[in-house]
Amino acid sequence: MKATQEKLKLKLQEALGAALGADYANADPLLVPASNPKFGDYQANVALPLAKQLGQQPRAIAQKIVDKLDLSGICKPPEIAGPGFINLKLETDYLIAQLKAIQTDPRLGVAPAKNSKRVIVDYPSPNIAKEMHVGHLRSAIIGDCLSRIVEFMGHEVLRVSHVGDWGTPFGMLIAHLEEAYPEALTTTETLDLGELSSFYREAKKRFDTDEDFRKAAHQAVVKLQAGDEKTLLAWKIVCQLSSRAYQVIYDLLGLAPFIERGESFYNALLPEVIEELDKQGLLVENQGAKCVFLDGFTNREGEPLPLIVQKSDGGYNYAATDLAAIRYRVQVEKVQRVIYPVGAEQTNHFAQIFQVGRKAGWITDVTEFVHTPFGLILGEDGQKLKTRSGEAVRLRDLFDGAIAHARTDLEQRLKEEGRVETEEFIADVAQVVGISAVKYADLSQNRTSNYIFSYDKMLALKGNTAPYMLYAYVRTQGISREGNIDYGKIKADAPIILQEELELTLAKHLLQLDEILMEVEKDLLPNRLCEYLYQLSQKFNQFFENCPVLKSEEPVRTSRLILCDLTARTLKLGLSLLGINVLERM
């Protein structure tokens, strides 16, 4: 089913061409949802910018468009308001027909893309050998959500975690491992990640203060790159331990499976990257390093700022690895779109490597590489969220805290309601609500903004939170249980009756899902979907509280059950695209 807004846009463009000439047939009608329901459902504002161009009054232009506008079967007669706004109100019969069309559609009217693309989403991409902390949260949550939405929209998605598993930090770890814990090289079971995290800090302290140790670390990097057997074993131990610990976090978050491809994967390709850049005349030697000078980037003195791709000692940095990944993704994996959910502090880095990719011809008009930056997670003090000791909060501790808070809230509510539930029920609900609250609190923010992390706010049963959304779904299932209704057995030919204003409001909102998902696929802002689901929950709750369902007479009763079912399915689908599971009871 084509989005209603898209249908109206095409109709308006036909009218523009008929009223003003073929040159205007492809003009943007500037169609937007009406800001106030009393003005209708949609508003076309194209007459205003055309006024100066045509030398006519905007209301006169609007009238010409309306005279040629055929919206029979979709909208009531258009109305011109103010200086030349064209207001459109959907016909009730049109709404009913659209609801009937999605009633038996598992995709709820969201058509898959006609031209499927191959897309890579690069997440969560932590650095091996360090425990995952709050700084890794947004990449994981946002990346998983974008992957789900882009895939649902009909594209082939490759989820790739570009982990940092190579370079100087590993030389540092290997050197310290060989000296302080030589027994660790005989088995992968000696150390767990908690010990390794402390071990990393010890190694870093030595690296920063001990010149001899620093030299040993650099030598270990050389051995690692040369393929020394003992050094490679130490590297593999660190990588395996890290991956095993990370998987616990990934499972807690419910991340969809992805490919873990470390920087080491591209190691053998780096000389080819340098050679290709050199052949194209892009490389310039600067103080012994091989660089690419970029347009629009200067240092504090105003001099051109180069991007170093090979250091003066012959080593490579992560810019070189990222360029190798770009080249590989285009030439070998044949992708048309690559999405990088990475913190805003890396904006310049991505602008630089994308520019080099374009200069090298790897990124073209048919390959879109996009950095989707996100802000910081802050504590109540407005600073980066940290522990009392000043360290980044471990993700495991953060999730355990969310689950504990959710359990406390649930147990208090059960006590107040006089309900008795099993330990299994309490534990399951607490985990789903706790994890969902963290994920939703993140996704409901515009990803470019910072936000303050607060268990109390994210676990509130009212407001734009996961518990509020989950509770709306639970309400739909409560109706089913109370009335002994199997939504799946409602007859497809049962009439839908939209008489009450709250029924119409809910119906219109249900039919906007495809428009919202098309927007998110384009601009990669999951908060748009969150806001849609929040408004859906609000509209359903208003409908539920004012329009009796089970106590209504037929055929209104069945019609309202259909609205409940469509609401439940829309919430379930929408939340699943956010990576959130629903609950039947809570």
Side-chain angles (χ1 to χ4, degrees), residues 475-476 479 482 487 497-507 538-553 555-565 567:
R475 262 188 160 176
T476 66
I479 292 170
E482 184 183 344
Y487 287 134
I497 301 164
L498 303 177
Q499 294 177 331
E500 300 293 333
E501 192 60 38
L502 290 173
E503 293 173 318
L504 284 164
T505 300
L506 179 58
Q538 288 181 311
K539 288 172 170 56
F540 172 73
N541 285 332
Q542 290 167 355
F543 158 80
F544 175 83
E545 289 163 5
N546 294 279
C547 299
V549 178
L550 297 176
K551 293 182 180 180
S552 293
E553 298 294 327
V556 172
R557 182 177 187 269
T558 297
S559 174
R560 289 179 176 173
L561 284 170
I562 292 172
L563 289 178
C564 291
D565 178 40
T567 299

Side-chain angles (χ1 to χ4, degrees), residues 218-454:
H218 285 305
Q219 187 58 37
V221 174
V222 174
K223 289 181 181 179
L224 181 61
Q225 293 175 339
D228 177 74
E229 188 174 333
K230 183 180 178 182
T231 307
L232 279 173
L233 174 59
W235 171 72
K236 288 177 181 177
I237 290 171
V238 173
C239 292
Q240 288 169 1
L241 285 169
S242 298
S243 295
R244 196 178 307 153
Y246 292 165
Q247 192 58 51
V248 174
I249 300 297
Y250 300 153
D251 289 344
L252 260 179
L253 272 172
L255 300 190
F258 51 77
I259 302 165
E260 187 173 271
R261 185 182 292 159
E263 292 176 329
S264 58
F265 176 86
Y266 302 101
N267 206 42
L269 306 177
L270 297 179
E272 296 176 12
V273 170
I274 300 300
E275 183 181 358
E276 191 168 337
L277 292 173
D278 195 25
K279 282 182 179 179
Q280 296 189 47
L282 296 173
L283 281 190
V284 176
E285 190 164 310
N286 186 273
Q287 298 180 4
K290 293 181 179 178
C291 313
V292 178
F293 279 87
L294 304 168
D295 302 327
F297 289 89
T298 57
N299 60 20
R300 292 179 181 177
E301 288 73 37
E303 300 168 339
L305 186 68
L307 178 69
I308 298 173
V309 293
Q310 188 173 20
K311 295 180 284 187
S312 57
D313 62 3
Y316 301 99
N317 55 16
Y318 67 93
T321 305
D322 283 348
L323 289 172
I326 288 174
R327 179 173 174 267
Y328 183 86
R329 289 166 175 182
V330 171
Q331 296 182 355
V332 179
E333 294 179 303
K334 308 293 183 184
V335 297
Q336 287 86 47
R337 193 183 197 195
V338 183
I339 300 166
Y340 296 82
V342 180
E345 68 275 7
Q346 293 293 322
T347 297
N348 276 349
H349 170 72
F350 282 104
Q352 290 171 341
I353 63 171
F354 291 167
Q355 186 180 136
V356 174
R358 281 190 292 273
K359 286 177 179 287
W362 304 327
I363 301 177
T364 65
D365 291 341
V366 296
T367 54
E368 180 191 12
F369 280 70
V370 55
H371 172 215
T372 54
F374 52 77
L376 300 171
I377 301 177
L378 308 178
E380 299 282 1
D381 59 358
Q383 303 299 312
K384 279 187 179 182
L385 186 64
K386 294 180 179 180
T387 63
R388 289 181 179 178
S389 62
E391 297 178 337
V393 179
R394 296 193 319 157
L395 278 190
R396 187 56 196 255
D397 293 341
L398 185 146
F399 294 141
D400 286 348
I403 294 168
H405 275 73
R407 184 182 180 108
T408 299
D409 290 350
L410 175 60
E411 289 175 339
Q412 180 64 31
R413 188 156 46 84
L414 293 177
K415 183 178 179 181
E416 291 172 356
E417 296 173 3
R419 284 168 57 193
V420 177
E421 298 287 356
T422 64
E423 168 58 26
E424 182 181 8
F425 172 86
I426 293 171
D428 179 58
V429 170
Q431 175 149 327
V432 170
V433 171
I435 299 297
S436 298
V438 172
K439 296 173 80 169
Y440 190 88
D442 194 299
L443 294 169
S444 62
Q445 308 292 321
N446 184 311
R447 60 171 165 74
T448 62
S449 303
N450 300 338
Y451 74 91
I452 293 176
F453 189 93
S454 167

